[in-house]
Amino acid sequence: RSQLPNIERHLNYFISMSTPENSSLKVIRKFFYSFKDELLKRIAKDEKIWFPYCLSLSEKLKDITLPVFHKEEEGKTEDPIEALLADLKSIMIKHLTGEYDENLCYAVIVSINTLEKDIRQHNRIRYRILEPIVWGMEHS
């Protein structure tokens, strides 16, 4: 979540310093705010539902054998948040048209890339570690 304000700041500055009539920048801004909304909804849901549920099961943790992650389960769920972020970066890299400041564009892409890595790491922990532990607690 801490990367969002950084991306937003870079993106808004980038857009404000670019040609006002650049329609691709309007699309990028709209796409970013749509992504931001989806990510914040997921974070709120996790904070309200997922994490409290995990904590409520944790009392059983001492009494169970944790399941082993199976390789075939890896990547079983394509994360729409990761896909949206990859799409945003792709638009910035491949489809941006008109006049714009390349250095500011690069700053936005670097910020997006940092968030992309954070989300990927979060998802690896969630799907490879936490979900199997929760499943084990639920089925013990």
Side-chain angles (χ1 to χ4, degrees):
R1 184 183 337 192
S2 64
Q3 289 297 326
L4 279 177
N6 191 34
I7 294 171
E8 187 171 10
R9 187 173 42 255
H10 285 303
L11 181 63
N12 285 329
Y13 186 64
F14 167 62
I15 291 171
S16 72
M17 298 304 289
S18 298
T19 307
E21 60 275 350
N22 190 334
S23 61
S24 62
L25 293 177
K26 293 174 186 172
V27 172
I28 290 170
R29 175 183 272 146
K30 185 175 181 178
F31 195 91
F32 169 75
Y33 282 108
S34 174
F35 162 77
K36 179 182 173 184
D37 185 51
E38 288 300 314
L39 180 60
L40 291 177
K41 284 179 189 174
R42 175 180 290 176
I43 290 169
K45 183 178 177 184
D46 281 354
E47 288 174 347
K48 187 176 182 180
I49 298 169
W50 169 251
F51 295 127
Y53 178 69
C54 292
L55 289 173
S56 73
L57 291 174
S58 67
E59 292 179 12
K60 293 182 175 182
L61 186 60
K62 62 184 177 212
D63 300 326
I64 67 166
T65 302
L66 300 179
V68 176
F69 173 75
H70 300 287
K71 193 70 172 167
E72 63 271 12
E73 294 175 4
E74 184 176 358
K76 66 178 179 174
T77 306
E78 183 179 7
D79 182 13
I81 297 293
E82 277 187 76
L84 284 172
L85 199 53
D87 290 345
L88 178 60
K89 187 169 75 172
S90 177
I91 291 168
M92 295 285 299
I93 293 170
K94 296 178 183 177
H95 303 290
L96 189 59
T97 60
E99 293 184 31
Y100 57 89
D101 184 312
E102 289 183 21
N103 288 329
L104 293 175
C105 182
Y106 182 73
V108 175
I109 292 169
V110 167
S111 299
I112 290 170
N113 199 47
T114 301
L115 180 58
E116 198 174 30
K117 287 177 185 177
D118 290 349
I119 289 173
R120 219 175 302 125
Q121 181 180 13
H122 166 83
N123 286 341
R124 256 193 320 271
I125 291 168
R126 180 181 190 136
Y127 298 124
R128 294 181 76 177
I129 299 170
L130 294 178
E131 282 190 359
I133 290 171
V134 168
W135 185 90
M137 289 187 288
E138 290 172 333
H139 295 90
S140 63

